[in-house]
Amino acid sequence: MPSIKNLEMAAAVSAHHNITVKKSLFSTKAFYTPTQSPLKAMVLEYSPVEGERVERLLSMPVDKMAAEIAQKGKPAAGVNGNFRLEACLSDDRQFCALQLLRFSEFSYRPLFDVRFYEGQEVESVAKLF
C-alpha cells in the first residue's frame, strides 16, 4: 500500500480543511477529522481503453457514474498502465479524494485537479475500486 505522502495529490489532500496529518519519525498518517477515521492510499493503473473509461466516469455526476458501474461493472485495473488513479479513502467511507493521471512525456500528468467527495457520495465513488 502506498504512502499518502508519496502521491502526486499529497499536498492537496493534506491541505483539505477536513484532513488532519500526523507526522512521526518514520511515518505520516492522515485522518478524516469529523470521524477521526484513518485514510488509506491506493494507486490503480489502467490500460488506455480502461483509463479513458475511468476519465469518462469521473466526468459524470456521481449518481450516473454509480448507475453505469452497476450496469457495466467497474473498470479493470492492470499493471504499468497509461493511466494512474490515485485515491485516498477513509476507513469509514465518509471521505474520498481522487486524481487521474495520464502517462505523457516520460511522467504522469494530472488530467484534472484533485476531486473530493464526502458523505453518501463516497459509497458511489468507491465502486470504481
Side-chain angles (χ1 to χ4, degrees), residues 41-93:
M42 293 176 259
V43 175
L44 301 169
E45 296 195 14
Y46 298 96
S47 68
V49 172
E50 291 297 309
E52 289 174 4
R53 181 172 176 229
V54 171
E55 184 177 11
R56 189 171 41 78
L57 286 168
L58 290 172
S59 67
M60 295 177 175
V62 174
D63 57 334
K64 288 185 180 183
M65 175 179 53
E68 183 166 324
I69 291 171
Q71 181 183 20
K72 297 181 181 177
K74 66 181 183 178
V79 255
N80 298 330
N82 281 26
F83 288 84
R84 182 172 77 192
L85 179 67
E86 294 184 346
C88 288
L89 180 66
S90 65
D91 281 350
D92 63 1
R93 293 182 172 250

Side-chain angles (χ1 to χ4, degrees), residues 3-24:
S3 171
I4 290 175
K5 67 180 182 180
N6 294 332
L7 299 176
E8 290 279 331
M9 65 177 183
V13 172
S14 297
H16 191 274
H17 66 280
N18 277 336
I19 299 299
T20 302
V21 177
K22 297 179 182 175
K23 295 181 182 184
S24 67

